[in-house]
Amino acid sequence: MGQKVLVIGSGAREHAIAHALLRGDSVSEVTVASGNPGMELDGIRTTQINESNHAAFISFMQHNQYDWAFVGPEVPLIEDSSTTSPRPASRPSAPTRPPPRSKAPKTSPSS
């Protein structure tokens, strides 16, 4: 049986992450909190938990035996939800360093 993953967020980024996780062989279940109606149309499970309610996330993960969480939006990371995780296996996953800078200019050269 695969891992159970909680994705925190409600935007297109979290939708794409949840969709990709569900396609993988190692994940059997993905729930997005709080998600959006488009995710539900794609068959992605959602639950209504406020992104800032760390205690509710911990309770949900423990009660439903989730293996880990992916934190999409920045606010829970700024609030440091990782320090309130109940056990190492449920610590949120998030980038540990900034993304690389683009080498190409983002604006087109003027003529």
Side-chain angles (χ1 to χ4, degrees), residues 17-77:
I17 290 165
H19 193 281
L21 286 168
L22 283 172
R23 288 193 320 253
D25 293 336
S26 64
V27 175
S28 61
E29 183 177 322
V30 175
T31 299
V32 182
S34 61
N36 65 51
M39 292 178 192
E40 292 174 356
L41 290 174
D42 282 349
I44 298 169
R45 183 184 311 211
T46 63
T47 187
Q48 297 302 308
I49 301 174
N50 184 299
E51 293 174 1
S52 297
N53 191 341
H54 305 161
F57 282 122
I58 292 168
S59 176
F60 179 83
M61 290 183 69
Q62 288 176 331
H63 184 262
N64 295 287
Q65 300 178 330
Y66 276 75
D67 296 298
W68 56 280
F70 183 96
V71 182
E74 292 80 12
V75 172
L77 294 174

